[in-house]
Amino acid sequence: MVSVSLRVSIRKRLFIGITAAVCISLVGQLAQGIQMSTRIVVAGAAETGGFTSGQRVTIQQKTALFPNTLSKNSNLTKLKVSYYGTKGETLRLTSVKGELALFKSDSRGDLWLPTWYVSKEAALAKEISPLSLQLRSSGSIYLTPGSTVKWPISQTGTSLIAVAKWKDWYGVMISPAKWKEDYRIYRPAMMWVRGSDVTAKKAMPDGLLDGNSEITTDVVRNLTEFLFKKGTPSSYVKKLLGEPQARETSRNQEMSSNKPMILGETWRYEQRDAHYTVTFSPSGKLTFSEWTIPGNGSFERSFSPGDDYEFTYRFAAVPPPKTLKAKPDWRNQGNLNFTFLLEANEDVLLLKGDDGGYSGMHDNSSLYAIDRGTGKKLWQEDAGFGWYTAVTDKEREYVTMFSAYNPVVKDYVARVRHIRLSDGKVLWEVKPKNEFGLTMTAAQDTVVLDEPLDLNETKSLLSVLDQETGKERWKKTLSGEHRLLNQGTDDPYVLIEQNGQLTAYDPETGKAVWDYKVGKKFMDDPTQDPYFIGGYRYNPVSPADMTTRWMLLGKEWVLLNTETGEREGVYPADEMERFEVLNERYLLVQRALNGKYFSGATDYESVLYDSLEDRELWTVKGKAARGAIEGERVYLTLNGIPAAVDKETGSVIWKMETISKASDDLSHLVGSSYGILDRYLLLSLGSDLVVLNKDDGRSLGRLHNVITGNVDLREQYARNGALNVTDHEVLVGTVNGAFIRYDAEELKARLDELFERME
């Protein structure tokens, strides 16, 4: 069974209200700006002393903005520049001190601008292709051409790179000694040198990241920082950096999920010590870039310099993987960011499309089918920002979909539709009275609806429909708190827990078949938590027999036979524990060691529990998750880092190389379950589908043109349907709307070829 619970909430209305208020505020600021525009001036070189408080000026060339005023005593390698002023930007000056003017910004704070950059003379400066300059040791570094603020060349050394020219002056990059400090990114500033102080100059070679360049990564990084901006053409990037090692379809560049996706192209430059990616719009204009650099110590989030949020630095917890080019069998491009496999038969794959938005900002989701052999989309049903639930029949030939919202009429319309997978034909439709709070699941040959009869949900109507016809078989009124424990059409009975008792009802007649005494409620069922990632991993391409399964009943987790109502195993329920079911025998338990709630703890351990022998086999430090048993090994992640442990002893056989501390929790990086492909392990880690050597955990790299990731509130969908591997195929969901199929044998042969080259 597949269940989607994404609903419009009070948060949505609050978000809309806040957005409206911000827009009103921006309109007011715009009006104020129009009134002030009559005072904008362009200062001449000789007018730098004539500024007044409140005067607005226009920047004529890109320049560094300094957090402190500069003097001859300033250290050029410690200027701590985070922000750039851009050509055409207008500013209102607060005060002027010598050759620098102060301006204030609510978002950027107090910053100093060299006044030369708002002069007519600055407008004559030209960007040039980077030149490597040699300077005489007796020369000076000037704040601006002809400035009285200058520094001896000894502060920077005699080798500098010029990126601009004005008359006989060169604009040179001055790089900070520490470009990352105190959780901030510091950027190169441009200063000036006299042409007469240049003793030699040499054009820097094109293709600085093409693999043959001898220029250091730090120098290239500084050049990209200063020379690239949003809108830079791809031709310029290619000239400077060379041909990328890989070109890929970009992430969705449209920030509004109410608008169609915009997919451009991402170029990957993969150096030994860092990776650099640049992303272009469909018209070839730069929209995003990211430097991926191995971290140092504890895990750090991504950073953007200043307010250029499109240009980021990511300090990777694991070494950046190189791209492995392997041709897929087919690639289907959907129209929503996230794609997850829900169900499959021999001919059809049933998928969930999702925009990835949080509750209250979620606008679109879809249910669609694609041909398993060709990748061609067969049909699609959109659910808008309402929630939907989808359950298939036992043979996976039909799907029954409950949706709360109809985006065609733009209104809430509760519908239960029975759809043929092969062509999307609706065979029957039922319209419940109340779309809010309705639960749909299935039992053998039936669809089960639980429909609240009041807003407080103190009473509800249970309706059991014939799956083939949609006709009602029987109904039952339920009062007070209850749970419907069905997982799907493979369940033999309708399972209802109420008043301390679990009862199995015949789906044909509604008669009670067996009862199980549950007792008083002990704790909330963690499987209902949207962030829950434990329980069973449902495999859409090869569903397991769920006749006997674990469920929370009173103060125990019970391994219950749903055919007979007999208990076949038990594990004590604990508010501070969560577990994954590796198989009917083994549970991988995560245990919080501090805090009041499981999710709020900072210290965890993990246990492999053997239900057959009723004992804990071993304990490891941290969160062990995404477990998969193969032979005598358990492949899992330890605080998000891939590892293999001995099934009997828990000893770590290998753990993927990482730069982070052992105490760092990187679980958020994991976006799928493991896929086992012969000698290889596949796993979504960060934005990459990585390939590991199963024997020792070495990383071969990442699959080309597969952009993956995790998304809040879709944890179970990612765990079940982001990556599925069979003997014949590898099926991969992405975060840029693509769903991809590889032929398993062809992919394995390609990986063998690449692996042999590494040996």
Side-chain angles (χ1 to χ4, degrees):
M1 184 191 77
V2 180
S3 172
V4 181
S5 298
L6 298 174
R7 58 187 179 274
V8 177
S9 66
I10 292 174
R11 291 167 57 194
K12 174 108 179 175
R13 296 192 292 272
L14 180 60
F15 174 76
I16 294 171
I18 292 173
T19 304
V22 171
C23 290
I24 292 170
S25 174
L26 289 175
V27 169
Q29 293 180 30
L30 179 61
Q32 181 184 6
I34 293 173
Q35 292 174 356
M36 293 294 296
S37 64
T38 57
R39 300 183 59 197
I40 295 175
V41 299
V42 177
E47 301 172 25
T48 54
F51 295 106
T52 59
S53 176
Q55 185 176 355
R56 288 177 67 86
V57 294
T58 301
I59 296 176
Q60 299 300 303
Q61 291 293 340
K62 184 174 184 177
T63 177
L65 302 176
F66 303 98
N68 300 293
T69 187
L70 303 184
S71 71
K72 64 179 182 180
N73 296 320
S74 300
N75 188 325
L76 287 180
T77 64
K78 297 181 180 180
L79 300 179
K80 297 190 174 183
V81 172
S82 293
Y83 299 98
Y84 287 139
T86 58
K87 184 177 181 179
E89 181 181 355
T90 59
L91 302 170
R92 184 171 62 184
L93 304 183
T94 300
S95 63
V96 178
K97 182 179 180 181
E99 297 179 29
L100 291 109
L102 174 69
F103 70 94
K104 296 178 180 291
S105 166
D106 291 338
S107 61
R108 298 188 287 186
D110 294 359
L111 293 169
W112 292 86
L113 164 76
T115 53
W116 183 82
Y117 285 95
V118 299
S119 71
K120 293 178 181 178
E121 295 297 315
L124 302 176
K126 301 293 183 183
E127 289 185 4
I128 61 172
S129 296
L131 287 174
S132 177
L133 304 183
Q134 287 296 319
L135 305 171
R136 64 179 79 252
S137 57
S138 59
S140 297
I141 306 291
Y142 294 80
L143 175 64
T144 59
S147 172
T148 60
V149 182
K150 59 182 180 178
W151 301 266
I153 198 69
S154 58
Q155 274 211 29
T156 61
T158 56
S159 297
L160 293 174
I161 296 173
V163 292
K165 196 170 189 299
W166 181 82
K167 296 184 178 179
D168 192 35
W169 291 79
Y170 289 95
V172 294
M173 286 197 315
I174 307 298
S175 303
K178 291 184 179 180
W179 60 272
K180 180 178 77 75
E181 190 177 21
D182 300 329
Y183 302 102
R184 300 194 66 153
I185 300 296
Y186 295 126
R187 316 170 87 169
M190 186 170 71
M191 301 295 181
W192 294 83
V193 297
R194 289 181 181 272
S196 57
D197 285 334
V198 176
T199 60
K201 58 186 176 183
K202 181 181 180 182
M204 294 188 68
D206 294 337
L208 295 178
L209 291 179
D210 64 4
N212 299 315
S213 174
E214 297 181 356
I215 307 300
T216 66
T217 300
D218 266 353
V219 170
V220 180
R221 183 181 54 76
N222 280 311
L223 283 168
T224 62
E225 187 72 72
F226 193 84
L227 296 178
F228 292 173
K229 59 183 180 297
K230 197 169 184 180
T232 296
S234 59
S235 57
Y236 181 75
V237 174
K238 185 177 179 180
K239 183 177 187 302
L240 185 69
L241 302 184
E243 182 66 30
Q245 280 73 55
R247 296 177 183 235
E248 299 181 330
T249 304
S250 76
R251 289 174 178 262
N252 183 14
Q253 297 179 34
E254 174 54 63
M255 295 297 102
S256 171
S257 56
N258 269 323
K259 297 179 180 179
M261 296 178 72
I262 297 176
L263 299 176
E265 189 172 60
T266 295
W267 296 0
R268 297 183 61 90
Y269 293 93
E270 299 177 351
Q271 306 301 296
R272 186 178 298 274
D273 56 343
H275 287 189
Y276 184 53
T277 57
V278 282
T279 296
F280 302 98
S281 68
S283 62
K285 302 299 183 182
L286 183 62
T287 55
F288 304 96
S289 76
E290 181 174 72
W291 281 97
T292 302
I293 298 169
N296 183 17
S298 294
F299 171 76
E300 295 181 291
R301 61 179 176 83
S302 296
F303 296 92
S304 295
D307 48 8
D308 291 323
Y309 301 115
E310 299 86 1
F311 301 87
T312 61
Y313 288 79
R314 180 164 60 90
F315 301 97
V318 297
K322 69 176 184 179
T323 294
L324 308 173
K325 293 188 177 180
K327 187 177 180 181
D329 193 26
W330 51 254
R331 179 187 181 97
N332 174 277
Q333 182 60 54
N335 65 338
L336 295 176
N337 291 343
F338 293 85
T339 60
F340 305 105
L341 180 63
L342 300 181
E343 297 284 358
N345 63 33
E346 287 187 4
D347 303 314
V348 180
L349 301 175
L350 185 67
L351 275 72
K352 169 182 169 57
D354 200 288
D355 62 13
Y358 294 96
S359 176
M361 289 177 280
H362 169 78
D363 290 302
N364 289 292
S365 60
S366 65
L367 179 72
Y368 65 106
I370 56 180
D371 186 284
R372 194 165 181 172
T374 66
K376 179 183 177 181
K377 185 166 73 173
L378 301 172
W379 55 267
Q380 179 168 323
E381 292 289 342
D382 294 323
F385 54 68
W387 67 94
Y388 78 74
T389 306
V391 295
T392 57
D393 67 309
K394 201 164 190 176
E395 289 74 30
R396 274 76 180 167
E397 297 294 333
Y398 305 91
V399 60
T400 305
M401 177 185 186
F402 163 68
S403 57
Y405 182 81
N406 185 343
V408 175
V409 300
K410 297 181 180 179
D411 199 3
Y412 284 97
V413 180
R415 295 179 293 169
V416 178
R417 288 168 288 166
H418 192 63
I419 305 169
R420 189 160 56 204
L421 260 65
S422 60
D423 58 9
K425 182 177 180 180
V426 177
L427 301 179
W428 57 258
E429 180 174 342
V430 172
K431 294 185 177 180
K433 294 179 181 180
N434 185 4
E435 71 275 6
F436 296 104
L438 185 145
T439 300
M440 184 183 79
T441 182
Q444 183 173 323
D445 300 326
T446 60
V447 175
V448 183
L449 305 179
D450 188 10
E451 184 178 358
L453 297 178
D454 56 52
L455 292 176
N456 296 323
E457 299 185 9
T458 59
K459 184 177 291 187
S460 67
L461 178 66
L462 186 81
S463 304
V464 179
L465 311 181
D466 183 276
Q467 196 168 56
E468 185 176 350
T469 66
K471 302 297 184 182
E472 185 176 275
R473 288 187 177 180
W474 54 272
K475 60 185 177 182
K476 182 180 179 64
T477 301
L478 301 172
S479 299
E481 187 174 358
H482 64 276
R483 288 196 299 160
L484 190 60
L485 296 180
N486 287 79
Q487 293 291 304
T489 193
D490 292 330
D491 282 342
Y493 304 113
V494 178
L495 304 173
I496 302 173
E497 182 202 339
Q498 190 175 30
N499 300 324
Q501 181 171 282
L502 173 62
T503 303
Y505 295 92
D506 187 299
E508 181 72 31
T509 65
K511 293 182 179 180
V513 180
W514 55 255
D515 295 318
Y516 183 92
K517 187 176 180 181
V518 173
K520 293 182 179 180
K521 179 180 176 180
F522 176 71
M523 68 183 205
D524 290 333
D525 189 345
T527 64
Q528 302 306 304
D529 182 346
Y531 291 101
F532 178 70
I533 59 170
Y536 288 86
R537 189 221 168 166
Y538 179 77
N539 187 348
V541 294
S542 182
D545 179 9
M546 297 287 283
T547 302
T548 303
R549 69 170 183 267
W550 291 93
M551 56 182 72
L552 179 64
L553 299 176
K555 62 181 180 180
E556 297 174 326
W557 289 95
V558 177
L559 184 62
L560 192 73
N561 187 312
T562 56
E563 285 273 10
T564 65
E566 297 295 322
R567 184 172 76 172
E568 298 184 6
V570 65
Y571 184 81
D574 191 322
E575 190 77 63
M576 301 299 282
E577 291 184 352
R578 302 287 186 269
F579 63 76
E580 296 178 11
V581 182
L582 302 187
N583 54 37
E584 285 194 353
R585 179 173 180 175
Y586 295 106
L587 304 179
L588 185 60
V589 183
Q590 295 179 349
R591 182 177 294 153
L593 300 178
N594 60 9
K596 294 183 179 180
Y597 306 99
F598 176 84
S599 60
T602 57
D603 192 17
Y604 296 86
E605 67 180 14
S606 298
V607 173
L608 185 67
Y609 174 76
D610 186 337
S611 65
L612 185 63
E613 298 185 6
D614 190 23
R615 69 184 182 96
E616 297 180 0
L617 294 184
W618 44 259
T619 302
V620 295
K621 187 74 173 172
K623 282 184 183 178
R626 311 283 176 156
I629 292 179
E630 186 188 50
E632 296 305 309
R633 288 187 177 187
V634 182
Y635 298 106
L636 42 74
T637 59
L638 287 173
N639 287 342
I641 299 299
V645 301
D646 185 275
K647 186 178 69 175
E648 296 299 322
T649 66
S651 59
V652 177
I653 299 169
W654 57 257
K655 187 177 180 182
M656 185 180 179
E657 180 185 357
T658 178
I659 302 157
S660 65
K661 293 181 179 178
S663 58
D664 286 343
D665 187 359
L666 307 178
S667 300
H668 64 282
L669 296 179
V670 184
S672 74
S673 295
Y674 278 107
I676 301 177
L677 181 67
D678 193 37
R679 67 195 289 190
Y680 306 107
L681 293 175
L682 308 180
L683 185 71
S684 168
L685 197 63
S687 61
D688 303 314
L689 186 63
V690 297
V691 181
L692 305 177
N693 181 348
K694 192 171 67 175
D695 292 334
D696 57 19
R698 279 186 298 162
S699 173
L700 275 71
R702 58 179 292 277
L703 287 183
H704 174 247
N705 207 16
V706 182
I707 313 301
T708 66
N710 211 342
V711 58
D712 277 347
L713 303 177
R714 318 296 193 280
E715 278 76 5
Q716 289 294 354
Y717 293 108
R719 183 178 173 218
N720 296 337
L723 173 64
N724 297 93
V725 178
T726 71
D727 292 338
H728 307 292
E729 61 192 345
V730 176
L731 301 168
V732 186
T734 70
V735 300
N736 62 352
F739 194 82
I740 303 167
R741 181 191 188 272
Y742 294 91
D743 180 279
E745 287 299 323
E746 291 180 3
L747 179 58
K748 186 168 59 174
R750 175 59 174 156
L751 295 176
D752 286 344
E753 177 187 348
L754 295 170
F755 183 73
E756 288 172 5
R757 293 180 188 175
M758 295 176 60
E759 292 291 272

